């Protein structure tokens, strides 16, 4: 699923989650790209603002056995190592980074827009290529369906009550609309 919210230079949000077919015991691809308060920077001949980015292969299972996520975390970690601006750590304000987030997450905060073309976009492209290669190499197993669906539902249930989009959409469109949007679209497998 994909969401794009554009309120001009004040707020732009691109969010996407890619759920693999149930025959693959693979993480969800989570992408958040946000820009706030963009404005010309006369000193730097560019655009300034607040930019936040997250690209992650998010585990769907809450277990100490992370063998299914390890190849994905390693691939993302290799990319992360090449981009210093994407080596940040998220705050615990909304999420626990130990639940449904990988150790290789690309996380960046920046105030200069050239970060998008210079580091974020190349890292994003590499992460998509790496993810496709990992999925293509995975065995397909229809016996995974119940476990994977349960993991995806757990991911959605966890995320639905923590995602900061709820507050943004409540402010913009009202609580009833925001609730339907979060639970019926963004995280439709949540309980």
């Amino acid at each position: 699923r994909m969401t794009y919210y554009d309120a001009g230079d004040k707020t732009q949000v691109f969010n996407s989650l890619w759920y693999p077919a149930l025959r693959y015991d693979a993480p969800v691809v989570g992408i958040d790209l946000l820009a706030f308060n963009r404005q010309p920077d006369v000193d730097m001949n560019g655009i300034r603002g607040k930019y936040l980015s997250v690209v992650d292969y998010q585990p769907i299972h809450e277990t100490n056995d992370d063998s299914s996520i390890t190849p994905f975390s390693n691939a993302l970690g290799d990319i992360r190592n090449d981009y210093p601006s994407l080596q940040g750590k998220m705050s615990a304000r909304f999420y626990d980074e130990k639940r449904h987030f990988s150790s290789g997450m690309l996380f960046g905060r920046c105030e200069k827009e050239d970060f998008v073309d210079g580091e974020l976009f190349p890292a994003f492209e590499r992460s998509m290529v790496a993810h496709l290669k990992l999925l293509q190499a995975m065995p397909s197993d229809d016996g995974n369906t119940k476990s994977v669906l349960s993991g995806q539902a757990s991911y959605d249930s966890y995320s639905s009550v923590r995602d900061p989009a709820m507050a943004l959409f409540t402010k913009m469109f009202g609580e009833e609309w925001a609730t339907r949007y979060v639970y019926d679209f963004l995280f439709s497998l949540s309980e």
Side-chain angles (χ1 to χ4, degrees):
R1 64 133 172 104
M2 181 184 83
T3 302
Y4 178 66
Y5 175 77
D6 189 342
D9 287 338
K10 184 176 179 181
T11 305
Q12 294 178 346
V13 177
F14 173 81
N15 169 272
S16 188
L17 284 174
W18 302 0
Y19 294 79
L22 297 177
R23 64 184 176 271
Y24 296 106
D25 191 3
V28 171
V29 175
I31 304 160
D32 285 300
L33 310 173
L34 300 92
F36 300 102
N37 302 316
R38 295 174 65 242
Q39 57 191 341
D41 183 347
V42 293
D43 296 331
M44 301 296 289
N45 292 329
I47 304 290
R48 293 185 63 77
K50 299 224 183 263
Y51 301 90
L52 175 68
S53 62
V54 178
V55 178
D56 197 14
Y57 306 151
Q58 299 180 271
I60 58 172
H61 301 293
E62 295 186 55
T63 173
N64 291 333
D65 173 24
D66 65 352
S67 59
S68 66
I69 187 70
T70 299
F72 290 90
S73 291
N74 290 346
L76 208 49
D78 290 345
I79 296 166
R80 186 178 201 259
N81 290 337
D82 291 340
Y83 299 97
S85 65
L86 295 172
Q87 296 174 5
K89 293 190 63 85
M90 67 180 196
S91 106
R93 182 174 173 196
F94 298 106
Y95 297 104
D96 174 357
E97 70 180 24
K98 303 286 187 212
R99 293 184 68 191
H100 299 296
F101 291 94
S102 79
S103 60
M105 175 179 27
L106 307 178
F107 183 89
R109 292 180 196 260
C110 197
E111 293 187 2
K112 297 178 183 172
E113 191 166 283
D114 60 356
F115 147 82
V116 175
D117 289 334
E119 293 207 16
L120 177 58
F121 190 67
F124 172 76
E125 284 183 315
R126 286 178 59 192
S127 72
M128 295 300 98
V129 169
H131 187 264
L132 288 173
K133 284 181 181 178
L134 286 164
L135 277 181
Q136 290 168 342
M138 283 189 87
S140 173
D141 183 354
D142 289 330
N144 286 334
T145 300
K146 187 175 181 181
S147 171
V148 172
L149 183 59
S150 174
Q152 290 177 358
S154 172
Y155 173 88
D156 274 14
S157 293
Y158 175 80
S159 298
S160 65
V161 296
R162 289 167 180 78
D163 196 297
M166 182 69 168
L168 173 71
F169 290 130
T170 297
K171 182 179 176 183
M172 301 303 292
F173 305 112
E175 185 174 356
E176 181 181 340
W177 186 93
T179 299
R180 281 195 330 265
Y181 187 73
V182 167
Y183 290 96
D184 297 342
F185 177 72
L186 290 181
F187 304 108
S188 61
L189 296 174
S190 62
E191 296 175 10

